[in-house]
Amino acid sequence: MEKKPHFVRRAFLPREVPSTSLALLLAAVLLLNALLYLYLNKFYTSLGRVETDPGHCPFGHFKFGAVKNCSPWLSCEAINREVRKLKCVGEGAVKKVFLSEWKEKKVVLSQLTNSELKEDFLHGLKMLKALQSKYVVRLLGYCEQQFTILTEYHPLGSLRGLNETLHIPKYKGMNTWHRRLMLAIDYVSIIQYLHSSPLGTLVMCDSNDLDKVLSQYLLTSDFRVLVNDLDALPLVNRSAGRLVKCGHRELRGEFVAPEQLWPYGEDVPFEDDLMPPYDEKTDIWKIPDVSNFFLGHVEGSDIVRLHLFDIHAACKKKDPAERPSAQEVLDTYRKVLTLLIREAAMAGTREML
């Protein structure tokens, strides 16, 4: 009897995937996860570096650039002899700022312009010396007698020019939700540092509007944020019953915290003596507005805002006591960054699959 050919209906058999393809896909998944781990580990390591002494020099010394040895802060004599002014690059209520040169390096020389504000100037110098860290612009020298401060130069300037900088061809690759969120994390890290500083809880008082806030911070060439102006940094001491007031004039607008507004209505003229003091939670109120500027309007920034919605809503609580601490805000920002990077990595893995 003739045997009928044996046909196999392949549609009912499971499709076989070559073992080499499976191995490659598994390797890709493992590689992506390893890269994510290394990146986040590097990022959090940078956040957790020693907070004092940015140049790994003892107090009263500095180094920057490719220089290996630490130098003592420049004295009055050294500043007068070795520092050459190039041009004025800014002027505020307290001081005038000059782009200068020291040993063929660009530096910044700040000088008091209004003798009535010398206490503010000296307070800023005191804070600059005491708070030297990875969060604060590097101090190179000072001369109290001549009301002069010498600091490191950062060519990208203050944060007011962030969006313009990100449109320069050289920096367009930085204009991403990820890089912008990292700048916001830098900013909140600085607020957290000030609130838990070696001197105690300090309030960033030069912050009555967004433009003023941005002018207090510098953008470094490697896209980090440093606080630059510490002239208005009063101390909160709850145990001693000491709160603060940011200036002696009436503050207005939605940017400042509710407790910074005159509480007695338009019919009662403002009097500084009647204005109630407040604490560091005024800084927390302003975080969402500053972060909104950082995030901008790039692809993915709205997703970041969505993830930050709850913590930002908490920052805007009318009662200061109900607002989170700077550390709680910072922890949330870091978690959101980790989550979104992991989601992006997994999305890339799914596309490969």
Side-chain angles (χ1 to χ4, degrees), residues 60-297:
H61 294 70
F62 72 91
K63 67 177 180 179
F64 66 98
V67 178
K68 293 183 179 180
N69 298 324
C70 297
S71 301
W73 287 336
L74 300 187
S75 63
C76 297
E77 181 184 356
I79 291 174
N80 292 333
R81 184 180 65 249
E82 301 173 13
V83 177
R84 181 170 65 95
K85 290 181 185 176
L86 298 178
K87 63 177 180 178
C88 179
V89 292
E91 183 173 3
V94 178
K95 54 186 177 286
K96 186 178 287 188
V97 180
F98 297 89
L99 174 62
S100 304
E101 192 174 57
W102 174 70
K103 293 187 176 181
E104 300 182 349
K105 298 181 181 68
K106 295 290 193 301
V107 293
V108 173
L109 188 71
S110 302
Q111 291 183 318
L112 178 68
T113 55
N114 186 346
S115 60
E116 294 180 359
L117 298 175
K118 64 182 181 181
E119 293 303 321
D120 291 354
F121 184 91
L122 293 175
H123 177 74
L125 173 59
K126 177 184 175 181
M127 294 294 104
L128 194 54
K129 289 192 291 184
L131 298 175
Q132 282 296 287
S133 65
K134 65 174 183 173
Y135 304 109
V136 179
V137 69
R138 193 165 301 171
L139 178 64
L140 309 180
Y142 63 91
C143 179
E144 286 193 34
Q145 297 94 314
Q146 298 173 8
F147 297 98
T148 298
I149 299 173
L150 193 70
T151 53
E152 190 173 8
Y153 171 62
H154 293 281
L156 296 182
S158 79
L159 288 176
R160 285 189 294 190
L162 174 63
N163 289 324
E164 289 75 11
T165 297
L166 288 171
H167 283 94
I168 298 173
K170 179 181 178 180
Y171 298 111
K172 278 189 174 180
M174 299 285 195
N175 197 17
T176 64
W177 69 263
H178 160 250
R179 180 60 63 172
R180 284 175 170 270
L181 178 55
M182 288 181 68
L183 291 175
I185 288 174
D186 276 357
Y187 167 72
V188 178
S189 297
I190 292 171
I191 298 299
Q192 191 278 330
Y193 173 65
L194 295 178
H195 288 186
S196 58
S197 83
L199 301 177
T201 302
L202 299 168
V203 182
M204 194 64 176
C205 264
D206 254 346
S207 57
N208 297 335
D209 57 63
L210 178 60
D211 192 64
K212 186 65 174 175
V213 170
L214 299 176
S215 71
Q216 309 301 305
Y217 297 86
L218 295 172
L219 179 66
T220 68
S221 296
D222 58 349
F223 268 69
R224 293 180 299 112
V225 177
L226 297 175
V227 63
N228 181 51
D229 196 328
L230 303 174
D231 294 346
L233 210 60
L235 178 69
V236 169
N237 188 337
R238 284 193 184 82
S239 61
R242 183 194 302 166
L243 299 178
V244 303
K245 288 191 286 188
C246 290
H248 304 287
R249 298 180 180 179
E250 182 178 1
L251 301 179
R252 297 178 180 270
E254 295 181 357
F255 187 82
V256 297
E259 63 270 24
Q260 293 183 281
L261 301 174
W262 178 243
Y264 303 118
E266 295 289 340
D267 295 335
V268 180
F270 177 82
E271 287 188 38
D272 184 43
D273 291 341
L274 298 179
M275 179 67 198
Y278 33 83
D279 62 17
E280 77 280 3
K281 291 299 184 73
T282 58
D283 289 334
I284 304 300
W285 171 274
K286 298 160 188 173
I287 286 176
D289 298 295
V290 180
S291 289
N292 187 54
F293 167 81
F294 278 120
L295 292 175
H297 301 285

Side-chain angles (χ1 to χ4, degrees), residues 188 195 281 284 287 311 315 323-330:
V188 178
H195 288 186
K281 291 299 184 73
I284 304 300
I287 286 176
I311 192 68
C315 291
R323 296 174 204 153
S325 66
Q327 185 64 60
E328 289 171 320
V329 179
L330 181 58

Side-chain angles (χ1 to χ4, degrees), residues 10-73:
R10 297 182 61 85
F12 293 96
L13 292 177
R15 188 175 61 177
E16 294 184 1
V17 179
S19 59
T20 54
S21 298
L22 281 174
L24 287 172
L25 288 172
L26 179 60
V29 172
L30 292 174
L31 178 61
L32 281 170
N33 279 283
L35 289 173
L36 176 62
Y37 171 80
L38 289 172
Y39 173 81
L40 291 174
N41 184 61
K42 180 180 178 182
F43 174 68
Y44 288 123
T45 299
S46 69
L47 288 174
R49 289 179 304 199
V50 177
E51 293 182 347
T52 57
D53 194 5
H56 305 290
C57 291
F59 180 79
H61 294 70
F62 72 91
K63 67 177 180 179
F64 66 98
V67 178
K68 293 183 179 180
N69 298 324
C70 297
S71 301
W73 287 336

